[in-house]
Amino acid sequence: MTPATPVPAEWPARFGDELYRFALSRVSDSEVAEELVQETFLSALASLVTFRADASERTWLFVILRRKIIDHYRRQTRAPHVGLDALHDGGATEADYFNPANGHWTGPQAPASWLRADAALEQQELHEILRLCQERLPPQQGAVFAMRFVEELSAEEICQELGLTASNYWVIVHRAKLQLRRCLEKHGMGKN
Amino acid sequence: MLRLINCQHATLLIEQRQDPVMPQRERASLWLHLHLCPYCKRYSRQSILITEWAWASAAGRVQAGPGLSAAAKERMREQLVAAG
């Protein structure tokens, strides 16, 4: 039974575990995940007046947590080690994948077949490798990739959140994908 | 008018293809390139796989894993009581 009026002191016991698991599925650091849950509770408490009794308390807290996670991605792209120039974040550039002379795949970089990818790796193992590869992306690419493909925000929303132009956004998505697939291959994809 | 494009351009268009505002001419150029280039055709499939796995991997972690420690719950409870 959901009480008619939220009792904030009960939130950690009632919703703490699932909010924390959700946060931990987005950020790999348990301390950061804990902070996000804590911020969620405090924000919810501060905006208790906006809570409508006909809504689900749990859904409302998740909406706040999602917002906190997006803020976290935004902070990640503003970290001091990220250069001011949106497209020079220390990651590989197109020249590392394509022949600068003609723009076609260069020999060893050409995509190998992943025909038996699903069979070669256990799903659990595959997910772990992908997570590792995501963590190795330069901060900005990692944030854009997660916002687009995990949080499923639109390109427009991401550009607004991160202050990117549309063309910068596409370059970042493109580079993130190139780097992820190369990282996956390094970790055993396509090597049958 | 179909334009021949290179792999670098094609792989960028593969990402942009999900965007409804992609011009018809670029769609046609990409379609042609994918017909001629087995590597980019492969890349196109793998690009979709990567996004599916990323989503599934995050969804899977929501279902499993440790919960919030008892100490953290108590600390947050005290905070909420103090701030409330």
Side-chain angles (χ1 to χ4, degrees):
Chain A
M1 270 304 286
T2 310
T5 317
V7 183
E10 292 176 1
W11 288 341
R14 287 177 63 207
F15 307 110
D17 285 342
E18 49 178 343
L19 288 166
Y20 175 74
R21 277 193 199 104
F22 188 84
L24 202 55
S25 78
R26 286 359 192 209
V27 298
S28 39
D29 185 305
S30 57
E31 261 176 58
V32 176
E34 221 170 84
E35 273 169 31
L36 288 168
V37 174
Q38 181 175 307
E39 283 175 27
T40 298
F41 288 147
L42 292 173
S43 283
L45 182 67
S47 59
L48 207 51
V49 286
T50 66
F51 177 76
R52 298 196 331 274
D54 59 338
S56 144
E57 220 172 320
R58 178 176 169 275
T59 305
W60 179 63
L61 288 168
F62 267 100
V63 168
I64 297 171
L65 175 61
R66 275 179 177 276
R67 182 63 252 172
K68 296 286 172 201
I69 288 167
I70 290 163
D71 289 343
H72 166 80
Y73 290 139
R74 201 179 51 233
R75 280 197 300 270
Q76 181 181 316
T77 67
R78 304 254 162 101
H81 59 273
V82 179
L84 284 177
D85 183 341
L87 298 177
H88 290 92
D89 51 9
T93 65
E94 288 74 0
D96 294 297
Y97 302 98
F98 304 101
N99 179 339
N102 61 19
H104 290 302
W105 292 105
T106 54
Q109 301 295 353
S113 167
W114 290 357
L115 207 54
R116 300 211 310 246
D118 289 6
L121 292 168
E122 289 288 320
Q123 194 191 43
Q124 188 59 34
E125 197 184 356
L126 182 68
H127 287 175
E128 273 165 28
I129 294 171
L130 180 63
R131 181 165 207 186
L132 172 88
C133 290
Q134 266 179 265
E135 282 169 14
R136 290 189 179 175
L137 288 173
Q140 193 171 38
Q141 288 179 25
V144 167
F145 181 86
M147 286 165 95
R148 179 69 192 87
F149 300 109
V150 180
E151 308 307 329
E152 298 182 306
L153 267 58
S154 70
E156 207 177 334
E157 285 169 320
I158 296 169
C159 288
Q160 213 167 17
E161 289 288 345
L162 303 182
L164 295 169
T165 64
S167 63
N168 275 2
Y169 165 82
W170 288 115
V171 171
I172 294 165
V173 171
H174 188 207
R175 286 184 185 174
K177 277 279 181 68
L178 287 164
Q179 183 146 333
L180 279 175
R181 73 164 301 293
R182 179 156 74 177
C183 178
L184 286 165
E185 278 193 2
K186 269 190 190 160
H187 288 87
M189 288 297 289
K191 293 193 180 72
N192 300 327
Chain B
M1 180 58 204
L2 281 180
R3 233 164 24 100
L4 284 177
I5 54 174
N6 61 28
C7 300
Q8 185 175 329
H9 191 178
T11 50
L12 175 67
L13 292 182
I14 283 167
E15 298 307 329
Q16 293 180 328
R17 192 168 43 178
Q18 308 160 13
D19 197 351
V21 297
M22 186 165 151
Q24 197 55 43
R25 209 183 50 179
E26 294 196 316
R27 270 181 210 284
S29 298
L30 177 61
W31 175 86
L32 176 67
H33 184 92
L34 292 179
H35 261 270
L36 301 170
C37 176
Y39 288 126
C40 285
K41 201 170 174 65
R42 191 178 270 171
Y43 178 93
S44 161
R45 283 196 300 265
Q46 292 172 351
S47 174
I48 294 167
L49 279 179
I50 289 173
T51 58
E52 285 175 354
W53 290 336
W55 192 90
S57 157
R61 289 197 301 270
V62 174
Q63 306 303 328
L68 194 58
S69 71
K73 281 180 192 168
E74 182 53 27
R75 196 183 65 241
M76 291 181 198
R77 192 190 68 80
E78 285 169 8
Q79 263 185 336
L80 287 164
V81 169

